[in-house]
Each structure stands twice: as structure tokens, then as C-alpha cells.
Amino acid sequence: MSEYNTLYEFDASWKVTQLMVTRNLDQVQSGLQVTFAQAEQSITLVFECIDDPQNIMELMDFQQVVVSEESHAERDFSTIKVELFCDTYAEFWCDAVTKQ
């Protein structure tokens, strides 16, 4: 069974104020830059090599977002899980996440 270390967590008091998807013409996978804001605070995260970009629109109206890293993974890619709790559950995986 996989174990996960929570890296970032946002509840419904946070809102997405900027969402930018990038994709190089010669690549299949996409990148994503998201700015979360709450009152006077904002955090921008950059997600690299997203495996399923169709779920990212759920970020616009979430109740909770959990970004976690799979610990003791036997692979070198897609070890970051982004869970989106809204009216339904959605998730996507990526290779890395960095804070800007």
C-alpha cells in the first residue's frame, strides 16, 4: 500500500486566482501554474508533466485540494498526486511541484 506525505493543502477559504496551462509542441504532457489566494496571502505552485490535464478545471471550484508525494515509490516519475475534492472527486499526477 502506498504512503503519501502531504506537501500542500488548501480548503474552501482559498481561491484560485490564476491558472495557466503550458504545453510544448513537441511534447505530450502539460505543465500547470496555479496561484491560490486567501485574504492577504497567495501561493503559486508549478506542476510539471501532468498526466491528465482534463481534471485541472476542477481547480476553479474546489472544496479542498491536497498535494502529496508518494513515499518509497519505485518509479522516478508521476510521484506527486493532486486530489481535488469538489462536487465529485478528481485527481491528477505529475512529476514535480515547486513553489514560486
Side-chain angles (χ1 to χ4, degrees):
M1 182 106 193
S2 295
E3 292 182 25
Y4 299 92
N5 297 324
T6 301
L7 303 174
Y8 303 98
E9 191 167 356
F10 303 97
D11 62 22
S13 68
W14 290 83
K15 301 296 178 212
V16 170
T17 59
Q18 182 179 24
L19 187 141
M20 184 172 41
V21 179
T22 58
R23 183 175 181 178
N24 292 334
L25 293 175
D26 61 342
Q27 295 180 353
V28 174
Q29 294 179 318
S30 302
L32 176 66
Q33 180 176 314
V34 183
T35 301
F36 297 90
Q38 177 191 52
E40 301 291 321
Q41 183 181 11
S42 70
I43 297 172
T44 299
L45 300 179
V46 176
F47 301 92
E48 297 176 23
C49 298
I50 296 169
D51 73 338
D52 192 3
Q54 73 182 25
N55 287 331
I56 63 171
M57 290 312 293
E58 300 293 339
L59 284 167
M60 297 309 294
D61 190 28
F62 66 87
Q63 296 168 355
Q64 183 178 12
V65 174
V66 179
V67 180
S68 55
E69 182 174 24
E70 186 176 17
S71 54
H72 310 298
E74 295 182 13
R75 59 185 186 277
D76 295 331
F77 57 91
S78 295
T79 58
I80 305 294
K81 179 168 70 168
V82 181
E83 297 177 283
L84 308 166
F85 300 91
C86 340
D87 292 335
T88 60
Y89 173 84
E91 70 178 33
F92 62 85
W93 290 77
C94 65
D95 288 358
V97 60
T98 55
K99 184 176 175 182
Q100 280 192 331

